Amino acid sequence: MTEKDASSEKIISDAMADPSPAKSMGDPGITPLSPSHTQQNDTDQVPSGPSFVVVVAIDFGTTSSGYAYAFAKEPECIHTMRRWEGGDPGVSNQKTPTTILLTPDRKFHSFGYAARDFYHDLDPSESKHWLYLEKFKMKLHTTANLSINTDLHAANGKRVKALDIFAYALAFFKEQALKELSDQTGGEFDNSDVRWVITVPAIWKMPAKQFMREAAYKSGLVSRENPEQLIIALEPEAASIYCRKLRLHQMVDLGTQTTQNGFSPSDNVGSGMSQAKEHVRRNRQSRTFLVENVIGELWSELEEGDRYVVVDCGGGTVDLTVHQIRLPEGHLKELYKASGGPYGSIGIDYEFEKLLCKIFGQDFIDQFKIKRPAAWVDLMIAFESRKRAAAPDRTNPLNINLPFSFIDYYKKFRGHSVEHALRKSNVDFVKWSSQGMLRMNPDAMNSLFKPTIDHIIQHLTELFEKPEVSDIKFLFLVGGFAESPLLQQAVQNMLQGRSRIIIPHDVGLTILKGAVLFGLDPSVIKVRRSPLTYGVGVLNRFVEGKHPPEKLLVKDGTRWCTDVFDTFIAADQSVALGEMVKRSYTPAKPSQQVIVIHVYCSEKENASFISEPGVRKCGTLRLDVSGTESTAARREIQTLMQFGDTEIRAMAVDVSTGRTVKASIDFLSH
């Protein structure tokens, strides 16, 4: 080693799980030899793996899910799945509710409308033994220390392993899609011919993305031996890819000041959307969408460097992504790391539940949910269809059916009637109608939307204040919640004409179709932003005056500084697709079989030590060096970490033998 190398020599310690104090450190384990950051050219991209006959994308949503597919030979034809049995009046059934039902002995029974209807028809004495789950995807976003063993609660209060539930759901979609493909091609369709794409929110952390991949392995969707067969797609990116293809007749432009189709912009909020829904309804019989292999007219107005925002409003989360266009191919570049939060439309359901607790008492509602779980589901379905009727200019009240068992159980529980409770509750905007319904005046319904919409608007306001987010040409509003006229109006009021608001007609299927396009060509997003700062803990030569004295470790006469954060990539740093961070390590002992390196992360752009507040251990890089013994005096293991993709990947090579070393980053074990 040259003198310069020696002075910057760093050693990774085995004892990083125990970051401080320095005195407790074990033997220094691995020495990084050469930190470097390389950007790959598109020509020496990581091999894309085998080619696939068909791409099937699964939009695994918080409230509803579905799949769509396209054959590689006909990429412009996107087929959405078969119509679901069941379905609700007034709600398009191109997706099915994300609900799952297990038998009393915890075997998979049904998914979607079928699960809901079957559960609903069970006798109450039976239904309490069955396990019914809904809106469970949010658990992956809200659990701070997500692991393979994270639990979920079924409607009857029983606990089940989250991984099992997600695997059951993916296995269901696999079976449905393969059956449909077999029927369509007239022969047994082989899973190995499918490239699968699963969509997740862009704001999800690495453990949640890895969890989805683990569930896919468990479900038999893909095997660990062939990980390239599954792509994790980010929802707003998928929407962005689809929006590029939109033609003018496939969207509503809320931002135009001219009349469109005889409507002035003030009527436009609700009416443009209802026309769009009618258009989608007419086309619903054919489930094949032609995506012309051109850039849509709207897109052709964009010039090199133009920016736009995708606001993906789903059931569970709202994701905001800023993209910039790169010509001539129209590739996309992410300009600002994805932001957002748990502000999806289920927030309105929680507000409704809070309102019911206020009127009938928290104790009653908690008890009713456990004792009559199917009736509770019924009540929430009744609320869902009324929720969709909420609009800024609505003047007549909305009626919500109370299930008979609610009225009956309340009387037993309290000894007086539901009507009596409403009179006493001081909630004056909810009345009792003699047909057994709650009558909510429109303001009352709109107030249930307010907290969720306020969160979204606050987030958008903060985003538009960022310097990278100046001068936004378009704002695409996508996801099921984007259909809400209340949300559309709030976004319009906030933007004050600063950019045009575009809503695709089939707003609930935008992500699904974009995910299929992404599966056909994953290289369309060329640059992403790293959401966090990632690195490892190392030992550096101790420098007086620069390093804190409590970090000093003297070993064999050499003075080391412990706990140094060696950054691989910084938060909000641009990362090109295929971009690699290279590090070389050497095992402490020649006989060592496995090198374990802890990966740390932080939301701050620069961290100096792994012991600083806000820096946490977020994963483990395992290098399996068994079977690559070499005669060299000093073994060098070169690791390549790829950050420009939707997931972080690791590869490693034993330099002296040129053999590949098994490398994996695990974000789920604690």
Side-chain angles (χ1 to χ4, degrees):
M1 258 191 334
T2 63
E3 196 167 85
K4 180 173 164 290
D5 282 346
S7 66
S8 65
E9 181 182 347
K10 302 171 186 170
I11 290 188
I12 287 208
S13 146
D14 273 343
M16 278 186 308
D18 184 355
S20 249
K23 311 297 168 277
S24 65
M25 305 275 303
D27 278 349
I30 341 166
T31 326
L33 298 172
S34 57
S36 72
H37 190 91
T38 63
Q39 185 165 338
Q40 285 207 318
N41 299 325
D42 286 354
T43 46
D44 54 272
Q45 272 279 317
V46 188
S48 60
S51 56
F52 299 97
V53 178
V54 67
V55 168
V56 181
I58 300 173
D59 178 1
F60 195 134
T62 302
T63 48
S64 62
S65 296
Y67 66 88
Y69 58 95
F71 291 95
K73 314 197 286 294
E74 304 179 291
E76 63 289 340
C77 280
I78 298 179
H79 309 269
T80 56
M81 66 217 158
R82 291 178 179 157
R83 294 269 295 278
W84 300 97
E85 296 308 309
D88 294 335
V91 178
S92 85
N93 61 348
Q94 287 201 299
K95 285 171 149 184
T96 194
T98 309
T99 52
I100 197 164
L101 183 63
L102 308 189
T103 61
D105 57 356
R106 296 172 178 257
K107 296 276 183 291
F108 174 78
H109 180 273
S110 47
F111 187 91
Y113 288 119
R116 218 175 64 181
D117 297 346
F118 186 91
Y119 180 62
H120 178 255
D121 294 340
L122 286 167
D123 185 79
S125 61
E126 269 188 275
S127 66
K128 58 172 183 270
H129 301 295
W130 289 66
L131 292 97
Y132 178 82
L133 294 103
E134 57 179 357
K135 300 178 184 148
F136 48 85
K137 179 182 168 192
M138 276 306 282
K139 185 82 175 183
L140 299 196
H141 180 73
T142 53
T143 305
N145 49 356
L146 185 69
S147 81
I148 289 294
N149 300 315
T150 295
D151 281 337
L152 298 170
H153 289 274
N156 61 2
K158 292 204 168 106
R159 292 155 76 103
V160 276
K161 285 254 177 298
L163 192 68
D164 293 346
I165 298 301
F166 281 83
Y168 279 142
L170 292 174
F172 168 80
F173 280 112
K174 174 190 171 185
E175 186 192 349
Q176 295 286 319
L178 288 179
K179 188 167 182 305
E180 185 170 340
L181 289 166
S182 298
D183 291 351
Q184 199 167 350
T185 52
E188 195 59 28
F189 203 89
D190 196 294
N191 189 36
S192 61
D193 289 333
V194 182
R195 165 172 263 168
W196 294 96
V197 180
I198 298 176
T199 63
V200 303
I203 52 173
W204 267 18
K205 304 270 192 292
M206 280 301 164
K209 291 180 194 169
Q210 187 187 332
F211 189 94
M212 218 40 154
R213 183 170 278 282
E214 292 295 331
Y217 292 148
K218 183 160 188 159
S219 69
L221 199 69
V222 296
S223 69
R224 279 181 203 283
E225 290 65 55
N226 190 9
E228 295 82 30
Q229 195 184 348
L230 168 67
I231 297 178
I232 301 284
L234 307 181
E235 286 159 8
E237 285 190 357
S240 201
I241 293 165
Y242 178 64
C243 289
R244 299 167 63 194
K245 307 269 189 184
L246 283 175
R247 308 305 300 263
L248 287 177
H249 64 268
Q250 295 170 313
M251 58 202 180
V252 179
D253 186 342
L254 289 188
T256 48
Q257 293 312 306
T258 55
T259 57
Q260 279 193 328
N261 311 332
F263 283 99
S264 73
S266 56
D267 322 330
N268 211 2
V269 168
S271 56
M273 211 56 214
S274 51
Q275 283 180 326
K277 281 186 188 160
E278 188 47 46
H279 169 86
V280 172
R281 201 171 291 123
R282 282 201 298 274
N283 290 357
R284 183 144 295 147
Q285 295 336 95
S286 89
R287 292 175 304 108
T288 304
F289 290 84
L290 286 172
V291 181
E292 296 169 56
N293 204 5
V294 294
I295 298 294
E297 296 99 333
L298 188 71
W299 215 258
S300 50
E301 293 178 32
L302 290 172
E303 292 163 8
E304 170 82 47
D306 274 350
R307 303 152 177 213
Y308 62 95
V309 173
V310 177
V311 182
D312 169 19
C313 308
T317 51
V318 167
D319 249 349
L320 314 176
T321 313
V322 186
H323 279 160
Q324 186 175 40
I325 197 98
R326 292 171 62 178
L327 299 174
E329 306 86 356
H331 286 141
L332 310 181
K333 171 182 180 180
E334 189 182 0
L335 270 194
Y336 183 73
K337 67 180 183 198
S339 61
Y343 315 129
S345 58
I346 59 173
I348 302 153
D349 303 350
Y350 294 139
E351 289 299 316
F352 178 60
E353 196 178 314
K354 271 165 44 185
L355 178 66
L356 292 176
C357 288
K358 196 170 165 188
I359 298 169
F360 302 109
Q362 174 99 41
D363 55 345
F364 167 70
I365 297 293
D366 289 347
Q367 199 58 23
F368 179 70
K369 281 162 91 173
I370 291 167
K371 287 284 191 284
R372 300 278 186 278
W376 173 256
V377 171
D378 244 21
L379 174 55
M380 292 315 283
I381 293 168
F383 174 67
E384 177 70 33
S385 66
R386 303 321 294 142
K387 170 170 109 178
R388 288 166 186 268
D393 46 4
R394 190 184 173 102
T395 51
N396 51 333
L398 296 126
N399 289 331
I400 295 159
N401 255 325
L402 276 185
F404 173 73
S405 64
F406 186 97
I407 299 167
D408 181 52
Y409 193 71
Y410 184 77
K411 185 132 180 85
K412 285 186 186 137
F413 189 88
R414 283 271 190 262
H416 57 240
S417 69
V418 163
E419 196 178 349
H420 177 79
L422 273 159
R423 271 205 310 272
K424 273 186 51 187
S425 69
N426 302 330
V427 179
D428 52 358
F429 43 74
V430 182
K431 298 278 181 272
W432 176 245
S433 115
S434 52
Q435 289 94 17
M437 294 181 178
L438 289 180
R439 280 176 82 83
M440 292 183 74
N441 74 23
D443 293 346
M445 180 57 105
N446 296 1
S447 70
L448 298 181
F449 280 74
K450 194 176 178 330
T452 304
I453 289 180
D454 285 353
H455 270 303
I456 296 171
I457 296 302
Q458 185 192 345
H459 235 86
L460 266 172
T461 308
E462 286 167 11
L463 184 71
F464 271 76
E465 282 166 359
K466 300 264 185 290
E468 309 85 321
V469 189
S470 58
D471 208 21
I472 295 292
K473 211 155 197 183
F474 300 116
L475 181 142
F476 289 100
L477 208 49
V478 303
F481 190 21
E483 284 185 15
S484 161
L486 290 167
L487 177 61
Q488 293 173 13
Q489 189 188 51
V491 173
Q492 246 181 318
N493 293 345
M494 180 233 128
L495 282 176
Q496 304 267 307
R498 276 184 291 174
S499 73
R500 281 164 66 187
I501 303 166
I502 308 292
I503 306 170
H505 277 181
D506 45 354
V507 66
L509 295 176
T510 303
I511 288 158
L512 197 45
K513 294 179 197 168
V516 173
L517 295 170
F518 181 62
L520 292 164
D521 177 19
S523 65
V524 59
I525 309 264
K526 288 286 186 235
V527 179
R528 290 187 174 86
R529 294 274 168 166
S530 176
L532 297 168
T533 297
Y534 289 100
V536 294
V538 298
L539 298 177
N540 270 3
R541 291 294 177 103
F542 191 85
V543 180
E544 286 294 345
K546 176 186 167 194
H547 291 142
E550 67 274 12
K551 299 280 183 202
L552 173 66
L553 169 74
V554 180
K555 187 138 179 71
D556 302 334
T558 307
R559 292 158 63 82
W560 298 101
C561 177
T562 64
D563 296 350
V564 175
F565 188 99
D566 182 23
T567 302
F568 287 165
I569 198 150
D572 207 27
Q573 182 179 332
S574 284
V575 202
L577 188 67
E579 191 163 330
M580 299 280 196
V581 174
K582 244 186 221 173
R583 290 283 197 277
S584 291
Y585 299 114
T586 175
K589 308 177 195 67
S591 61
Q592 206 169 326
Q593 302 287 304
V594 177
I595 301 175
V596 175
I597 300 162
H598 296 307
V599 179
Y600 291 84
C601 66
S602 168
E603 293 190 3
K604 293 188 299 197
E605 277 175 48
N606 38 22
S608 306
F609 296 100
I610 60 174
S611 50
E612 281 174 22
V615 176
R616 56 193 170 80
K617 183 183 148 195
C618 64
T620 312
L621 174 63
R622 280 178 69 86
L623 304 174
D624 183 345
V625 294
S626 58
T628 57
E629 277 69 26
S630 91
T631 50
R634 185 169 193 188
R635 281 173 71 195
E636 182 185 344
I637 309 294
Q638 192 176 64
T639 60
L640 293 165
M641 267 157 286
Q642 194 178 347
F643 285 93
D645 222 325
T646 57
E647 298 172 273
I648 296 175
R649 295 208 183 90
M651 288 156 278
V653 177
D654 188 334
V655 175
S656 61
T657 61
R659 297 259 307 273
T660 305
V661 171
K662 267 172 67 181
S664 63
I665 300 186
D666 180 12
F667 289 103
L668 283 170
S669 57
H670 300 295

